[in-house]
Amino acid sequence: MESSGGDEGAPGRGPRVLVVGGGIAGLGAAQRLCRYPAFRHLRVLEATARAGGRIRSERSFGGVVEVGAHWIHGPSQGNPVFQLAAKYGLLGDKELSEENQRIDTGGHVALPSVSYASSGESVSLGLVVEMGHLYYRLIDQSREFLHAAEAPVPSVGEFLKKEIRQHLASWTEDEETKKLKLAILKNFLNIECCVSGTHSMDLVALAPFGEYTVLPGLDCTFPGGYQGLTNCILASLPQDVMVFNKPVKTIHWNGSFEEAESPGEKFPVLVECEDGDCFPAHHVVLTVPLGFLKEHLDTFFQPPLPAEKAEGIRKMGFGTNNKIFLEFEEPFWEPDCEHIQVVWEDTSPLEDTAPPLQDAWVKKLIGFLVLPSFESSHVLCGFIAGLESEFMETLSDEEVLLSLTRMLRRVTGNPQLPAPKSVLRSRWHSAPYSRGSYSYVAVGSTGDDIDLLAQPLPVDREKAQLQVLFAGEATHRTFYSTTHGALLSGWREADRLIALLDPQAQLHGPRL
């Protein structure tokens, strides 16, 4: 580690800054700081062998699949990920079109092209559309309690169930159709678990739910892979900034640390790595996932975090959403099919009886997206959230393939359906430096906890300024769980440091 040879205030010598985590928040912070010559003593410590964090594209099936982040949510001018992707030339004409940017989906997932039921029959798309529109109305209503004096129930799940019960009372169809309508609604609820990265919508707080902000634009993907974006940011950084395979063990803060190469110089922070290396710094920007922070809360900070901040981290929600890719020799779906829904007729949003995971984990799978054509193979991408998703991570590829082959034969009514020829899946809960997918506002917490997590240490700024700063998707109050929330949070903390050094600095846009 080169020495800054003097304290932070010495003329011509900038502060020593460490960014912990090389996801889009850490990369965004580093790129922004590198624009200022004062921040030439900058390092990014990344625990793994690659940059990108929860943005992870892999070459497979003769194309690129997204193991992590899938879409740009709300690709329009107010979205910095969209702007950066456009600047780097990573999007196609359709994604960049004005028309695409103007579409307002209200954050709703598109309705399926085909819906299969567990009996092997197809579900009437008319019924799916009717239930889809009912569901969208209810989920929109659940966003309206932000400024209410009091939420009627603690969770989004309880609110949805209460409303569904009232609708059920007015349905006039036969019992079988009513059951099917409830089963379709259960599928939409499972989709919502994937969107929110939670096991159950009963865990998601109702009052703050509307604070999450949906940007305009039809969600789009990167033709060459999402990781192209983080690779471009990485390529823009000076050669020696990134340090890979450097997991951090403890952040010692509020101290007075020295190093042999800089006699007499004092650093308030010392970052101790798992391999024993120690990096003294004036400022540390911490961008690790909330799941990692939750798991290591008791040992990661020395001295421990202030009680209020630690409690906020414990209360906030962080769950798992995984993908399972299935490769087929030949498609069993129609050429224009984009989204396959799977409805389990014996399930209902009004019944909480969870069957044992062993046999029933597949029932949490929401169905499949048909991925755009690969060179010579046909690929479906299934999504699954929650405890069932975490259970799936413990199974072998063979077990997953067998379970999904059985399930597809059952729902298509074709016992001869050829098995997929290969499977690839994410395992975000098992990933030691993620421990899940993304954050949500859990029952018992509010947006204030997100802002609390984003507050730098120490809390008393009079004595010592900005020793540990916090960034990452879980620190953005209105865009949590997104890549644009993560990027903006990295910029926010970089700007905080820039303003400390140069209060007159004209901070770079785009800012939302």
Side-chain angles (χ1 to χ4, degrees):
M1 188 80 189
E2 63 189 271
S3 150
S4 59
D7 67 41
E8 176 170 0
R13 295 194 183 96
R16 206 155 322 163
V17 179
L18 286 173
V19 175
V20 179
I24 197 168
L27 293 170
Q31 185 181 49
R32 210 162 175 93
L33 290 170
C34 282
R35 294 175 182 172
Y36 289 83
F39 291 103
R40 66 181 185 276
H41 299 292
L42 172 75
R43 289 287 181 279
V44 180
L45 304 182
E46 165 54 42
T48 71
R50 52 171 286 280
R54 286 168 276 172
I55 292 174
R56 183 172 168 186
S57 312
E58 283 187 14
R59 295 208 69 79
S60 197
F61 315 126
V64 176
V65 296
E66 303 294 7
V67 176
H70 202 99
W71 292 276
I72 301 179
H73 291 296
S76 49
Q77 292 311 312
N79 186 327
V81 166
F82 175 72
Q83 288 189 324
L84 214 48
K87 182 181 119 178
Y88 286 133
L90 301 173
L91 300 175
D93 292 340
K94 184 174 182 290
E95 290 84 7
L96 293 168
S97 69
E98 285 292 327
E99 183 191 358
N100 232 53
Q101 293 180 51
R102 278 199 301 268
I103 294 172
D104 195 350
T105 62
H108 300 146
V109 178
L111 291 168
S113 321
V114 63
S115 179
Y116 292 120
S118 47
S119 60
E121 303 286 322
S122 286
V123 181
S124 142
L125 279 184
L127 208 54
V128 174
V129 169
E130 183 193 337
M131 289 301 96
H133 289 147
L134 168 60
Y135 184 76
Y136 294 160
R137 278 205 312 280
L138 298 184
I139 208 78
D140 287 347
Q141 283 172 26
S142 67
R143 296 190 183 280
E144 289 168 11
F145 296 100
L146 188 56
H147 304 295
E150 202 180 349
V153 289
S155 73
V156 175
E158 288 163 278
F159 174 75
L160 293 172
K161 285 186 267 194
K162 185 167 74 73
E163 294 295 315
I164 290 167
R165 271 191 201 96
Q166 289 179 353
H167 281 273
L168 170 61
S170 66
W171 291 347
T172 55
E173 300 93 340
D174 58 83
E175 286 308 307
E176 203 172 320
T177 307
K178 285 182 190 176
K179 274 192 75 172
L180 184 56
K181 285 167 81 166
L182 287 171
I184 296 167
L185 286 171
K186 178 65 174 176
N187 177 270
F188 282 109
L189 228 73
N190 286 343
I191 292 174
E192 205 64 46
C193 289
C194 290
V195 171
S196 284
T198 185
H199 172 63
S200 163
M201 293 309 291
D202 292 357
L203 303 174
V204 180
L206 180 61
F209 192 57
E211 203 157 18
Y212 175 85
T213 304
V214 175
L215 295 172
L218 183 63
D219 290 0
C220 70
T221 56
F222 285 77
Y226 222 127
Q227 209 176 303
L229 179 64
T230 45
N231 289 349
C232 283
I233 302 175
L234 180 63
S236 78
L237 300 176
Q239 201 67 59
D240 59 346
V241 165
M242 282 297 291
V243 186
F244 290 106
N245 300 307
K246 259 308 176 230
V248 169
K249 181 182 178 186
T250 310
I251 294 176
H252 303 268
W253 60 288
N254 236 4
S256 182
F257 302 99
E258 297 182 25
E259 81 175 339
E261 298 99 280
S262 320
E265 185 171 9
K266 300 276 193 278
F267 298 91
V269 192
L270 183 75
V271 173
E272 180 190 352
C273 296
E274 291 282 2
D275 63 5
D277 281 358
C278 288
F279 298 85
H282 296 105
H283 311 287
V284 172
V285 183
L286 183 64
T287 73
V288 298
L290 178 62
F292 176 87
L293 219 45
K294 280 173 171 285
E295 185 173 51
H296 298 279
L297 194 52
D298 296 337
T299 56
F300 199 68
F301 299 94
Q302 210 49 257
L305 289 181
E308 194 187 10
K309 195 181 189 81
E311 188 51 31
I313 289 170
R314 283 192 194 97
K315 285 194 300 192
M316 286 168 68
F318 193 82
T320 305
N321 178 25
N322 275 313
K323 301 178 192 177
I324 307 173
F325 300 93
L326 298 176
E327 181 191 19
F328 291 85
E329 204 81 62
E330 295 297 334
F332 63 81
W333 54 92
E334 297 298 321
D336 58 349
C337 179
E338 292 178 8
H339 172 188
I340 298 167
Q341 180 184 52
V342 177
V343 173
W344 293 89
E345 287 151 301
D346 57 345
T347 62
S348 159
L350 307 178
E351 287 163 25
D352 290 332
T353 48
L357 288 172
Q358 197 61 48
D359 314 308
W361 68 269
V362 294
K363 290 189 177 183
K364 191 69 168 281
L365 192 90
I366 62 169
F368 301 89
L369 287 182
V370 179
L371 295 191
S373 58
F374 288 75
E375 282 163 26
S376 58
S377 54
H378 305 274
V379 182
L380 296 181
C381 173
F383 290 79
I384 182 168
L387 295 174
E388 294 85 353
S389 187
E390 293 169 14
F391 176 75
M392 179 277 298
E393 294 186 26
T394 68
L395 302 173
S396 67
D397 280 357
E398 291 72 25
E399 288 170 310
V400 171
L401 199 66
L402 183 64
S403 289
L404 292 183
T405 301
R406 276 195 197 127
M407 184 264 268
L408 285 170
R409 285 174 176 165
R410 176 175 172 174
V411 303
T412 57
N414 176 6
Q416 263 68 57
L417 188 84
K421 63 176 185 177
S422 69
V423 63
L424 172 74
R425 61 204 156 120
S426 61
R427 293 187 183 88
W428 287 107
H429 181 70
S430 310
Y433 304 111
S434 305
R435 305 303 280 133
S437 302
Y438 37 81
S439 64
Y440 61 92
V441 184
V443 170
S445 69
T446 70
D448 291 343
D449 292 306
I450 299 176
D451 284 346
L452 187 61
L453 175 56
Q455 283 306 305
L457 294 174
V459 179
D460 177 7
R461 304 277 170 73
E462 299 307 308
K463 290 206 288 279
Q465 292 197 304
L466 304 183
Q467 293 176 23
V468 185
L469 302 91
F470 293 80
E473 54 84 12
T475 70
H476 200 292
R477 186 164 182 152
T478 56
F479 295 141
Y480 54 87
S481 81
T482 66
T483 56
H484 53 278
L487 179 59
L488 283 168
S489 74
W491 286 353
R492 178 191 69 214
E493 298 311 309
D495 288 348
R496 213 191 285 268
L497 284 178
I498 293 160
L500 176 70
L501 222 64
D502 177 7
Q504 265 64 59
Q506 288 297 301
L507 299 176
H508 294 259
R511 297 304 304 272
L512 290 188

